[in-house]
Amino acid sequence: MKALLVDDEQHVRHAIQLLGHWDDLGIDILLEAADGNEAIEAITAHQPEIILSDMRMPGKDGMALLEWISAHAPHCKVIVISGYDDFELVRHAIRHGGMDYLLKPVEADELNASLMKAVKSWEEEHTLRAESTKQSIVVNRMRPHYQDRLLTELAIGRGNTSAHIQRLQEELNLPCLIPMCCVAVTSLSHLDADCLAKYRSQPDLLVFSVLNICAEMMRTPTEGVTFRQLNQPDEIVLFHWGALSSLTRILDSINDGLEQTIQRRLHFGVSTCENYPAGISGAYLDASSKLWRRNTIGTRRRIHSTLESSSRNKGQRLTAFEEPMRIAALSCHAASVTDTVTEWLEPFTKLEVIGAEQLQQWMQELEWMLSRWLDDAEGQFSPEEESAEDQFPPFAELPFDPEGLLSFPLLRSLLEQRLLAAGKALTAQRHADPDPMREIARYMETHYQEDLSLQQIAARFYLSREYISRKFKQQFGLNWSEYLGKLRINNAKLLLQNPSLRVAKVSEMVGFQDEKYFSKVFKKIEGMTPAEYRKTILQRGS
């Protein structure tokens, strides 16, 4: 804590220094000023908590100084020490925030009692200010989530009451009269795996990037709003109060911005214009259907205003071919797996229309089949409750190319790799009683500095993502990503003991691509930032 002594007489400042119990009061820095102008410079530069000032000084006197402090540094605690027992001076001091008015020559007990009162008052107010700031931060952080929740409820048909619409209007400053609305929906799961991999450690960064660009192009609430559909976290929704033609222009601008930011363009499903708010939920479902039923082969347009795919392919389920795939997987023979996958896939290569929802269904069926095979082979187990983060990566990876279209080579390769992996795992279970989770942990311990993902681990150890998530947590009490995070932080703690290594370099050496994200994870686990940890360790060693 800092204190500033303001008096034009140096011997008075020296006497006050000798009388004060500064260390006992927690004041470790004493500043001096000979008049009000010097005091203002010191306050601006050093921001002292306590100020002791004379009233009669040449230049800017104590009265003018108190007026300046009241306007520019109101949190400072001011004690006036004056040689004048003048009612007007006392009143002026009180009016402008002075806590005490002491007469010269000041007594030590009187001075220290005033100082103690000032320090205690400042600390109490500082605690209240800190708590108020913390509450403001929480409110500001929660506000976007609250707004997203209000808009999500409206989109799914639970928020069209007059009270809900009133809250939306007040919270988002929406126009009083919105006669019509059209809706656009996009999903980040329609991006290719290479793009999603760049944001694997910070999936929210991708969401925020897309949301910010959408909001920037929408410009103001009088034009429309953008939000994250909280029931489908990979989904971004736009409500537009104008015509469909103007929404199309906005979406084109959004894709131009995305091209520059994430080097990709997104696909959007758009609805017809409907009455607001009654028609919102129907328009949302319409736009979502058009996105997921877009044709993923042969069409390169990004804005989908019609239902493009046919529902007749829905009968072609992956599970209908489950037994041939299981037998091929158990053979552990690459050629047999390739032949089986080709046999199943061949009819689809001749189609002109395959919807995005069909691809999603196949991927879900694949994970379900592999997980069930492994569970059946192992026997009964007692499943633990798992979070969505434990079960799935941040966004599902579908076999899309950078244009957001189906890649048959990617789909074929994905199926072959997963079936071969499952076959090897099933064969190993029949001939031995290995500890695959321990093997995964050992692999992570030697490859923690690499950009690991659950999908990569699953492919390497011939297991499904869901199986690894469940068994790893059962065995270690942590999901695999938490285990990897602690492993990286423990190694980072060792490296931070070397003062020659910059924090950014340590972050890179333990597998974090982003220094800010590294610091965030480090503080979450250790309760302090990497820099604070290094300082603590070096101080202990000195």
Side-chain angles (χ1 to χ4, degrees):
M1 186 174 284
K2 297 184 285 290
L4 171 64
L5 311 181
V6 188
D7 198 295
D8 59 316
E9 298 181 82
Q10 185 174 4
H11 72 275
V12 173
R13 300 198 300 270
H14 182 65
I16 294 173
Q17 287 184 30
L18 294 175
L19 292 173
H21 299 162
W22 309 107
D23 291 340
D24 295 341
L25 294 167
I27 298 173
D28 51 4
I29 297 177
L30 283 176
L31 307 167
E32 294 186 39
D35 58 33
N37 290 319
E38 286 187 14
I40 290 172
E41 291 179 6
I43 294 168
T44 303
H46 302 286
Q47 299 178 348
E49 291 83 0
I50 310 297
I51 299 171
L52 300 95
S53 177
D54 191 9
M55 290 299 278
R56 301 292 192 191
M57 295 179 290
K60 186 182 287 291
D61 64 9
M63 296 178 69
L65 176 60
L66 261 65
E67 292 176 9
W68 184 91
I69 292 171
S70 177
H72 298 92
H75 299 316
C76 293
K77 296 303 170 186
V78 180
I79 299 172
V80 173
I81 301 178
S82 175
Y84 297 90
D85 187 6
D86 186 315
F87 176 74
E88 286 302 319
L89 292 179
V90 174
R91 187 170 68 173
H92 189 88
I94 294 173
R95 182 182 300 165
H96 291 91
M99 289 197 65
D100 268 326
Y101 193 101
L102 308 181
L103 290 173
K104 298 177 183 177
V106 66
E107 298 291 334
D109 290 345
E110 187 180 25
L111 172 65
N112 286 299
S114 292
L115 283 171
M116 182 178 293
K117 184 169 68 172
V119 168
K120 184 178 180 181
S121 176
W122 189 91
E123 288 177 341
E124 290 175 350
E125 291 182 11
H126 177 69
T127 300
L128 291 174
R129 287 195 299 271
E131 186 62 32
S132 177
T133 300
K134 185 186 297 184
Q135 291 175 356
S136 297
I137 291 172
V138 170
V139 169
N140 289 334
R141 284 178 177 172
M142 290 299 296
R143 175 158 287 140
H145 183 85
Y146 175 64
Q147 293 173 349
D148 286 351
R149 173 53 61 194
L150 289 175
L151 290 164
T152 295
E153 293 294 313
L154 182 61
I156 62 177
R158 297 179 186 168
N160 54 6
T161 65
S162 57
H164 190 95
I165 298 303
Q166 181 66 27
R167 282 199 301 272
L168 264 175
Q169 187 173 332
E170 294 171 354
E171 182 70 26
L172 297 167
N173 196 27
L174 300 183
C176 295
L177 180 62
I178 303 174
M180 303 292 286
C181 176
C182 45
V183 179
V185 176
T186 188
S187 172
L188 301 182
S189 63
H190 288 225
L191 292 166
D192 59 288
D194 287 343
C195 180
L196 293 176
K198 296 177 183 177
Y199 298 91
R200 183 175 293 124
S201 62
Q202 291 182 288
D204 281 343
L205 180 59
L206 177 59
V207 176
F208 294 147
S209 297
V210 175
L211 280 171
N212 286 340
I213 290 172
C214 290
E216 182 179 342
M217 299 307 169
M218 192 75 80
R219 292 198 294 269
T220 67
T222 58
E223 193 169 18
V225 292
T226 302
F227 64 98
R228 188 178 191 178
Q229 210 277 61
L230 297 181
N231 291 359
Q232 300 287 342
D234 59 351
E235 196 171 86
I236 307 296
V237 182
L238 296 88
F239 291 166
H240 178 58
W241 319 132
L244 183 59
S245 57
S246 62
L247 175 58
T248 300
R249 288 193 295 272
I250 291 171
L251 297 180
D252 286 336
S253 299
I254 288 171
N255 267 331
D256 289 341
L258 291 173
E259 181 75 46
Q260 295 178 9
T261 307
I262 65 172
Q263 289 74 55
R264 295 293 189 274
R265 290 175 173 266
L266 281 166
H267 288 266
F268 290 89
V270 297
S271 74
T272 56
C273 285
E274 301 291 343
N275 291 326
Y276 177 88
I280 284 283
S281 59
Y284 163 73
L285 290 174
D286 181 36
S288 182
S289 295
K290 288 170 180 175
L291 173 67
W292 283 99
R293 292 182 63 181
R294 69 180 177 89
N295 186 12
T296 62
I297 52 177
T299 176
R300 295 189 175 275
R301 64 177 176 273
R302 301 287 178 164
I303 300 173
H304 308 274
S305 56
T306 59
L307 293 173
E308 300 168 13
S309 69
S310 170
S311 60
R312 66 177 179 272
N313 296 337
K314 288 186 177 180
Q316 304 291 338
R317 303 179 68 89
L318 192 68
T319 49
F321 224 70
E322 179 178 0
E323 188 59 19
M325 287 186 173
R326 190 178 69 85
I327 297 300
L330 285 170
S331 74
C332 294
H333 192 245
S336 297
V337 171
T338 297
D339 289 344
T340 303
V341 170
T342 299
E343 183 181 354
W344 175 79
L345 199 56
E346 180 64 25
F348 299 107
T349 62
K350 300 174 183 177
L351 295 176
E352 296 181 355
V353 177
I354 295 180
E357 64 179 350
Q358 180 68 78
L359 298 180
Q360 184 187 48
Q361 176 186 301
W362 288 339
M363 294 303 100
Q364 290 172 347
E365 289 178 344
L366 175 65
E367 292 300 327
W368 178 81
M369 284 194 319
L370 298 182
S371 183
R372 190 163 60 82
W373 295 350
L374 290 163
D375 288 340
D376 288 347
E378 186 181 74
Q380 297 299 315
F381 63 91
S382 299
E384 297 181 1
E385 185 178 348
E386 301 166 72
S387 67
E389 183 179 70
D390 293 335
Q391 298 178 39
F392 300 103
F395 303 117
E397 294 180 4
L398 300 176
F400 288 129
D401 65 13
E403 297 295 321
L405 301 178
L406 167 61
S407 167
F408 279 110
L410 280 176
L411 177 57
R412 184 189 305 276
S413 175
L414 188 152
L415 291 170
E416 291 175 357
Q417 289 178 11
R418 301 306 300 279
L419 289 173
L420 280 171
K424 291 180 180 180
L426 290 167
T427 303
Q429 285 185 356
R430 294 184 181 209
H431 294 287
D433 184 23
D435 187 352
M437 298 305 113
R438 182 62 61 183
E439 290 180 21
I440 290 173
R442 281 196 292 268
Y443 178 81
M444 292 165 68
E445 287 166 6
T446 56
H447 295 80
Y448 65 88
Q449 70 276 20
E450 299 174 10
D451 185 18
L452 297 178
S453 72
L454 184 55
Q455 188 126 345
Q456 291 169 330
I457 296 291
R460 182 176 184 85
F461 288 90
Y462 320 120
L463 301 167
S464 74
R465 296 194 307 267
E466 290 80 359
Y467 182 82
I468 292 174
S469 293
R470 180 174 61 252
K471 300 303 293 182
F472 203 94
K473 189 158 189 179
Q474 286 177 350
Q475 189 157 334
F476 295 102
L478 299 171
N479 64 45
W480 81 277
S481 60
E482 292 171 336
Y483 187 93
L484 178 61
K486 290 196 71 171
L487 186 62
R488 286 172 167 169
I489 296 306
N490 287 338
N491 282 280
K493 287 162 65 178
L494 296 175
L495 294 172
L496 286 168
Q497 296 180 33
N498 182 350
S500 300
L501 291 174
R502 297 174 59 224
V503 172
K505 183 63 177 177
V506 172
S507 169
E508 180 184 338
M509 291 172 71
V510 297
F512 288 92
Q513 303 302 315
D514 184 278
E515 183 184 351
K516 290 183 179 179
Y517 183 65
F518 165 62
S519 295
K520 178 180 178 182
V521 175
F522 194 100
K523 186 169 184 179
K524 180 179 179 181
I525 293 176
E526 297 297 326
M528 64 181 76
T529 66
E532 292 169 342
Y533 177 83
R534 166 174 278 171
K535 183 178 179 181
T536 301
I537 292 297
L538 294 179
Q539 286 176 344
R540 288 177 186 170
S542 61

